[in-house]
Amino acid sequence: MASQPRPIPPDAEIRAIVGHQFPGGPYTVAHWENFLLTECTGAELLPGGMVHPVVLFHMPILGSRTTIGEMFALGQAESDYSIGIESYDWEMFEPLREEVPYAVSGKVVAAERMIQPEGRMYDRIQFQFEVAQADGVLAARTTITWHYNRGARS
Amino acid sequence: MKAAVGDEIPGWLMESVRPERMRTMAAILRDPNPVHWDRDACDAIGFGQRTINQGPLGLSYMVNMLHAWAGPGSITRLIMTFPKAVLDGDRITARGEVTGLREQSGRRYADCRIWLDRGPDDYPLQGTASVRLPD
């Protein structure tokens, strides 16, 4: 995406992305991927091929067939620096395992313009992803809530 | 395993947050944000020549703390907020305390407050966790 600040999008354009569904698809966490991710956390590999939960950030995004860059663009981020994290909510129903295919889906569940009393404006956009086992059992659900800051930083 | 409301979860120390781990993470995440790998980009927005740790990496230190306490696969939910940035070179300790205990379908769960501690009154990540306790 462009590194130059963009104009503030109309409020209606932001609200209109609610319900946007990513294509979705299968995702398998490879051993090398889990190995490197786990090393980044400073931990040892978990037993029995269990995947480190830190995978729950990128696996749902990539498995949904989107990218962080596309999520920035969907909310018309002013720049790569303009995104703030409100929260990450990770629900884990079953441990995820290496080299096991999962079905991933994702969509935009909320998008609204916020103006703070001090005048700060941002768009609060919430993405929700689900990771299911081959038998359809839900293994994990993640909710990402980002602030797309408007006019505050460039 | 015994647990009681008010119990402190043993801390988990990341002695020094390392920039090369942020770069590996950025590659795996396909994260285009240069604040995780370009010191000049960080300097330009007021962080000096120190790259900014990815949110999920900071969160992972608390995962490691909870795994060390209750075992791998024990975490059922994490909700995390990110009031401040964690920077390369930071010395960070993941900490937590038990705020509630409950039973569900014959299993015991602990609800916890968790946070990253960088020093006095400096808690860059704060959140909650639910953990299934081992028998």
Side-chain angles (χ1 to χ4, degrees), chain B residues 105-126:
Chain B
S105 303
R107 303 297 305 264
R108 295 185 309 135
Y109 293 82
D111 295 317
C112 309
R113 185 171 73 88
I114 56 176
W115 66 95
L116 291 184
D117 181 346
R118 186 162 47 194
D121 297 321
D122 190 3
Y123 311 114
L125 273 63
Q126 301 171 27

Side-chain angles (χ1 to χ4, degrees), chain A residues 59-81:
Chain A
M59 176 204 188
I61 293 173
L62 299 184
S64 291
R65 303 295 182 267
T66 185
T67 62
I68 296 170
E70 184 184 39
M71 292 162 68
F72 286 3
L74 191 61
Q76 302 187 48
E78 287 185 3
S79 75
D80 289 339
Y81 310 113

